[in-house]
Amino acid sequence: ELGNYVKEEEFLRAVALVRLVVQKWLEPPDYDRMHLSTLIHQTLSHLRQTGGMNLRDLFDALVVRGQFRNVAQADFVSLLRGLSDLQLVEQTPDGLLILVLEGEAITADRSFFAAFQNSEELSVLHADRHLGNLAADLVPPAGENLLLGGRRWEVIEVRDTEGILLVKPSTHSRVPYFKGDRGEIHDRVAQEMHSVLRDTDEPEWLDENAKTLLRCSRTFALRSRVVESGIVETQSAVQWFPWSGTKVMRTLELLARKEGVIPSVDQLSLTYPGWDEARLRQHWSTIAEFGDAPTALSDLMASKCFEKFDTFVQPNLLNAANARDRLDVAGARSLACNHFGRTSREESGSTGR
């Protein structure tokens, strides 16, 4: 069964990571992110420490001379206006930015000192009954199914700012939505996983059980075309293995949603219901020509709050940050161009013969 590869994904990733360590590869830092949640934390920290600062000095300390150099002055002002609207800060008549009661309470809380957390969690509710919590980065869009407490639930509404996910018992047979484990995968790691399946060597540091699992994985991948083309077609869907990292995969998912199809997504593949390989190739052409602003995609994200203070960011600014921090439109377009160009050449060659 094709889905069996999911059981082997963690094993393949572990092998790929060890191979990369042997190659002395380290994941490069992402210097292009805006880090608005951390910027809010530092803004509130500075105001608490100093008792108040004017806008110019605060911008100079955090952006000009600080670590948030990807944040434009206009975005910084917008961020502060959002904090003011939430009654966390205010500006005195002489231009001094200070904390107000709510801001004082937040910064006085012991948990405030931790700027980061694994993930925001949403409280899952059905008819005012609390069913449990779900990490924000695992939340499916409205209309999708999820599994919780051994039951299948349909998402009614996602309320990020309230930390609430409303659900009802599912009455349809749509496959539950899976986002995989937490944490993002770099493109290089996904590509190395592909190489693990494509190669024939058996590393000495694998025991016999692991070597057997590796052989089985490679045999299955070859028979299913996962290694060769990355495309597996069934009677009801087509599954694509782009061998790309989390940012590209997330972008590809949103590009499909923009075309009106809801793919099933895991860490390695996207499954497009009702499509065949020809329809997927048309989609590659659409992706290659995508020219809208990345925020047109981030606006489609089911859950937009990933970090501790994201709920304090104004929606339009959070969209811009997510587009920059969590998507890779250029990478998705390049991938689609390569696939579309390759299949076009293959079809031309076949016609020529």
Side-chain angles (χ1 to χ4, degrees):
E1 183 181 338
L2 183 59
N4 286 340
Y5 90 93
V6 175
K7 301 176 183 178
E8 303 163 6
E9 185 273 332
E10 293 298 327
F11 167 73
L12 290 175
R13 181 163 57 164
V15 174
L17 287 171
V18 174
R19 285 173 36 139
L20 290 172
V21 169
V22 172
Q23 297 170 30
K24 298 183 178 181
W25 178 86
L26 293 175
E27 183 171 339
D30 187 351
Y31 292 112
D32 196 45
R33 296 184 62 176
M34 295 177 74
H35 294 290
L36 295 184
S37 175
T38 310
L39 177 55
I40 288 177
H41 179 270
Q42 290 300 296
T43 296
L44 298 178
S45 296
H46 273 64
L47 296 182
R48 181 172 180 84
Q49 179 180 357
T50 62
M53 298 176 67
N54 63 50
L55 174 59
R56 179 176 297 178
D57 290 342
L58 190 60
F59 182 76
D60 182 69
L62 294 175
V63 179
V64 177
R65 294 183 294 108
Q67 302 302 313
F68 302 94
R69 296 173 187 173
N70 291 320
V71 178
Q73 185 171 358
D75 291 335
F76 186 66
V77 171
S78 179
L79 192 75
L80 292 175
R81 285 175 179 162
L83 297 180
S84 177
D85 292 341
L86 294 170
Q87 298 184 341
L88 302 182
V89 305
E90 69 177 14
Q91 191 169 31
T92 63
D94 60 354
L96 199 66
L97 289 165
I98 61 172
L99 296 175
V100 291
L101 288 178
E102 186 64 25
E104 290 281 2
I106 290 172
T107 57
D109 191 290
R110 184 173 57 182
S111 65
F112 175 75
F113 293 99
F116 307 101
Q117 60 187 26
N118 289 334
S119 174
E120 286 287 339
E121 289 193 341
L122 302 186
S123 177
V124 184
L125 301 179
H126 166 56
D128 295 328
R129 180 165 65 95
H130 180 254
L131 303 177
N133 295 328
L134 190 66
D137 54 353
L138 303 181
V139 171
E144 291 294 294
N145 285 344
L146 62 87
L147 290 177
L148 188 64
R151 293 189 60 184
R152 189 186 303 238
W153 304 91
E154 180 181 345
V155 175
I156 301 173
E157 184 180 357
V158 181
R159 298 180 181 174
D160 271 334
T161 56
E162 300 175 42
I164 292 174
L165 178 64
L166 301 180
V167 300
K168 65 180 181 181
S170 177
T171 57
H172 53 72
S173 58
R174 186 175 296 135
V175 176
Y177 183 90
F178 293 101
K179 287 294 288 185
D181 297 330
R182 298 183 188 181
E184 295 197 346
I185 297 177
H186 190 274
D187 283 334
R188 183 68 183 85
V189 176
Q191 292 159 8
E192 189 67 19
M193 293 172 72
H194 185 208
S195 296
V196 170
L197 291 177
R198 188 179 54 212
D199 293 344
T200 58
D201 69 305
E202 295 182 356
E204 296 179 357
W205 34 266
L206 291 178
D207 63 19
E208 287 306 313
N209 289 334
K211 289 180 180 178
T212 299
L213 180 56
L214 180 59
R215 293 185 206 114
C216 292
S217 299
R218 286 170 169 169
T219 299
F220 171 78
L222 286 171
R223 289 178 178 175
S224 63
R225 297 177 61 203
V226 167
V227 171
E228 177 190 355
S229 68
I231 301 172
V232 180
E233 188 174 356
T234 66
Q235 291 183 345
S236 59
V238 61
Q239 187 174 13
W240 178 29
F241 292 77
W243 300 110
S244 298
T246 305
K247 286 186 177 182
V248 170
M249 293 289 287
R250 186 182 288 124
T251 306
L252 293 173
E253 176 191 358
L254 295 173
L255 284 163
R257 289 181 178 277
K258 192 168 177 60
E259 283 200 46
V261 64
I262 301 176
S264 298
V265 185
D266 55 51
Q267 289 189 348
L268 292 180
S269 72
L270 302 98
T271 301
Y272 303 83
W275 284 16
D276 57 14
E277 187 171 339
R279 179 65 183 88
L280 178 60
R281 293 181 181 184
Q282 293 176 6
H283 183 54
W284 288 340
S285 176
T286 302
I287 294 174
E289 297 172 358
F290 180 78
D292 294 349
T295 50
L297 296 179
S298 59
D299 188 49
L300 300 176
M301 293 172 67
S303 182
K304 302 178 183 182
C305 298
F306 294 87
E307 299 181 11
K308 188 170 184 176
F309 297 106
D310 279 350
T311 54
F312 295 160
V313 183
Q314 291 179 312
N316 63 329
L317 189 55
L318 187 58
N319 269 348
N322 280 333
R324 183 165 183 161
D325 296 357
R326 304 190 180 278
L327 302 181
D328 185 357
V329 174
R333 289 186 60 190
S334 176
L335 183 70
C337 284
N338 290 337
H339 277 274
F340 183 70
R342 185 180 67 199
T343 55
S344 296
R345 289 192 297 271
E346 290 172 355
E347 289 173 354
S348 298
S350 176
T351 303
R353 287 192 298 270

